[in-house]
């Protein structure tokens, strides 16, 4: 009975998906060759997701996020408008130069701790993180795992991708900023005209604080400067934090730090969707894509990518859409990427970043009204995708 009370509905979904994927292989519904190829492409995701969440949990325990939140609030000097711009800039920069999943895991606690520190509603800060984690992930291959999948197909260098995507990225950011202000940050929604500026922070264990802060900074630096795989960088940083806590606060280390639900969800989802693709989804998507050429074709491609993302998750949605397009059609592949990135906002499972974000909000005790989340995110998804695709077409 005690175990049952701890189960979350997503635990059941993750377990069912993994079991379904394994049964598809065992019964022959999914050919071994297709299953092997899917697992090869997602193999780096599992250690990355596991290690980056452990890193985030321990970094939070070391009060690194509380310190960052206090410094952000102090920099804005009590102005909601200044705080809004700082948070938008921080979330966009983190997503662009790192990865949207890293932003969801590492920046969400900063935003939620910031709300606690200054006494304002946590929802505007939380929504800033999750929306920009998705819509600010168009510019560089490292910004989104779908970008890494796309880079294998379009065969463009990071500089060439950035040269084509800078205008769509700016358009998506403009749409996100406007929607954030209208739906969550304007006066009457985010609180009074000012907020209390917190005192300078003092962590309870300065040694743990410095070690975990250095582990996070090292993770970011390695990813930026050395371009090592994300899973290797996050695993090394998590190992540093684990060793530090093993020496100074071993009671914090527990099996619950590992995100078992997500580690079961990812392979189960991909195997299940690949089975559906093999048995007709791929042909259906190919027929829906239609011929290429013109703004209408790009919008249709992005719309299909966004719709699929909100039904089955953006990573397998990109693979399904990619299989229906010729590899030489760079513009349509980039439009598909816009749809699966900036359009993957409406359902909680549309992107791994959104799932990670819901996990962080739940762990912090922040309630996210699902109806409001879905309605406002749908408006942003349509606006950001349309603006970004139009910018891609106009600068092509």
């Amino acid at each position: 009975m005690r175990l049952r009370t701890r189960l979350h509905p997503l635990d059941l979904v993750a377990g069912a998906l993994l079991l379904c994927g394994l049964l598809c292989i065992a019964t022959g519904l999914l050919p071994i060759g297709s299953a092997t190829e899917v697992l090869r492409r997602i193999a780096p995701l599992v250690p990355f997701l596991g290690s980056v969440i452990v890193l985030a949990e321990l970094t939070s325990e070391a009060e690194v996020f509380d310190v960052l939140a206090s410094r952000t609030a102090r920099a804005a000097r009590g102005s909601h408008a200044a705080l809004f711009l700082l948070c938008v800039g921080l979330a966009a920069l983190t997503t662009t130069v790192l990865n949207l999943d890293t932003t969801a895991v590492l920046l969400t606690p900063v935003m939620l701790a910031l709300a606690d520190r200054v006494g304002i509603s946590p929802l505007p800060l939380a929504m800033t993180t999750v929306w920009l984690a998705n819509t600010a992930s168009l510019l560089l291959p490292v910004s989104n795992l779908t970008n890494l999948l796309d880079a294998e197909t379009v065969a463009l260098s990071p500089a060439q991708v950035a040269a084509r995507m800078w205008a769509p990225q700016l358009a998506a950011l403009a749409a996100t900023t406007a929607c954030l202000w209208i739906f969550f940050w304007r006066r009457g929604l985010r609180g009074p005209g000012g907020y209390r500026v917190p005192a300078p922070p003092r962590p309870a264990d300065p040694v743990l604080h410095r070690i975990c802060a250095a582990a996070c900074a090292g993770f970011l630096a390695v990813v930026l400067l050395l371009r090592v795989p994300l899973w290797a960088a996050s695993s090394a940083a998590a190992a540093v934090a684990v060793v530090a806590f093993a020496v100074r606060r071993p009671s914090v280390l527990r099996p619950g730090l590992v995100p078992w639900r997500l580690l079961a969800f990812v392979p189960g989802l991909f195997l299940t969707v690949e089975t559906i693709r093999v048995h007709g989804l791929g042909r259906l998507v190919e027929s829906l894509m239609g011929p290429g050429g013109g703004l209408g074709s790009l919008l249709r491609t992005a719309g299909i990518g966004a719709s699929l993302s909100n039904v089955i998750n953006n990573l397998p949605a990109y693979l399904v859409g990619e299989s229906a397009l010729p590899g030489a059609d760079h513009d349509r592949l980039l439009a598909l990427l816009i749809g699966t990135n900036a359009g993957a906002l409406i359902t909680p499972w549309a992107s791994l970043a959104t799932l990670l974000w819901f996990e962080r909000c739940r762990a912090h005790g922040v309630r996210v009204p699902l109806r409001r989340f879905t309605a406002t995110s749908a408006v942003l998804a349509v606006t950001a995708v349309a603006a970004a695709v139009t910018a891609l077409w106009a600068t092509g």
Side-chain angles (χ1 to χ4, degrees):
M1 185 70 180
R2 186 179 178 183
L3 176 62
R4 184 177 301 173
T5 60
R6 291 183 178 181
L7 287 177
H8 187 273
L10 287 179
D11 294 328
L12 302 178
V13 172
L17 275 175
L18 182 58
L19 179 61
C20 182
L22 295 176
L23 286 175
C24 288
I25 298 174
T27 58
L29 284 173
L30 179 61
I32 294 296
S34 297
T36 301
E37 177 60 18
V38 166
L39 293 175
R40 181 193 68 80
R41 295 193 76 175
I42 69 168
L45 299 183
V46 175
F48 167 71
L49 289 173
S51 58
V52 82
I53 289 184
V54 170
L55 175 63
E57 290 279 6
L58 296 180
T59 303
S60 179
E61 288 283 348
E63 299 180 78
V64 173
F65 298 136
D66 291 289
V67 171
L68 287 174
S70 294
R71 289 177 179 172
T72 301
R74 289 175 64 81
R77 299 179 182 275
S79 167
H80 272 289
L83 184 65
F84 170 66
L85 293 176
L86 280 174
C87 291
V88 167
L90 180 60
L93 179 65
T94 304
T95 301
T96 298
V97 301
L98 293 171
N99 178 276
L100 79 166
D101 300 314
T102 307
T103 298
V105 172
L106 296 181
L107 192 59
T108 300
V110 175
M111 296 292 194
L112 298 180
L114 175 59
D116 290 342
R117 289 276 179 174
V118 302
I120 63 176
S121 170
L123 190 59
L125 292 155
M127 293 302 297
T128 299
T129 306
V130 69
W131 278 2
L132 285 163
N134 289 282
T135 62
S137 65
L138 299 174
L139 191 63
L140 299 175
V142 73
S143 304
N144 197 323
L145 296 172
T146 54
N147 299 4
L148 297 176
L149 297 174
D150 180 80
E152 296 181 16
T153 306
V154 300
L156 297 176
S157 69
Q160 290 172 321
V161 172
R164 283 297 287 121
M165 296 298 280
W166 67 267
Q169 181 62 92
L170 287 179
L173 287 176
T176 307
T177 303
C179 286
L180 279 170
W181 185 263
I182 292 169
F183 291 130
F184 294 101
W185 277 89
R186 60 187 171 87
R187 186 181 295 273
L189 296 178
R190 39 74 171 165
Y195 62 86
R196 64 174 185 269
V197 178
R202 291 184 176 86
D205 189 331
V207 174
L208 267 181
H209 174 83
R210 286 194 293 268
I211 292 174
C212 288
C216 286
F219 166 54
L220 307 186
V222 166
V223 171
L224 281 174
L225 301 178
L226 301 182
R227 300 297 181 186
V228 303
L230 281 174
W231 68 266
S234 60
S235 298
V240 171
V242 167
V243 170
F245 270 87
V247 173
R248 298 188 66 85
R249 287 176 59 192
S251 61
V252 173
L253 301 177
R254 60 192 187 280
L257 291 173
V258 180
W260 304 110
R261 179 195 303 167
L262 288 174
L263 300 187
F265 178 87
V266 172
L269 175 68
F270 273 84
L271 291 173
T272 303
V273 171
E274 179 64 11
T275 304
I276 299 171
R277 187 194 71 80
V278 168
H279 291 278
L281 179 60
R283 291 189 297 274
L284 174 62
V285 172
E286 187 174 357
S287 67
L288 291 174
M289 289 289 188
L295 177 60
S297 174
L298 296 179
L299 288 170
R300 182 171 63 251
T301 300
I304 292 170
S307 300
L308 273 176
S309 296
N310 286 290
V311 174
I312 63 173
N313 183 267
N314 67 336
L315 288 168
Y318 176 81
L319 291 179
V320 172
E322 178 192 83
S323 68
L325 294 173
D329 195 344
H330 289 174
D331 279 358
R332 292 185 79 191
L333 285 167
L334 293 175
L336 174 65
L337 192 67
I338 290 171
T340 55
N341 286 14
L345 293 168
I346 303 172
T347 57
W349 58 84
S351 73
L352 288 176
T354 306
L355 280 173
L356 293 168
W357 175 80
F358 267 105
E359 289 279 354
R360 297 297 88 210
C361 290
R362 179 169 171 260
H364 199 83
V366 174
R367 179 180 173 273
V368 179
L370 192 57
R371 184 176 298 178
R372 185 180 180 191
F373 173 86
T374 300
T376 56
S377 295
V379 173
L380 174 59
V382 172
T383 306
V385 169
V389 171
T390 302
L392 178 70
W393 172 76
T395 57

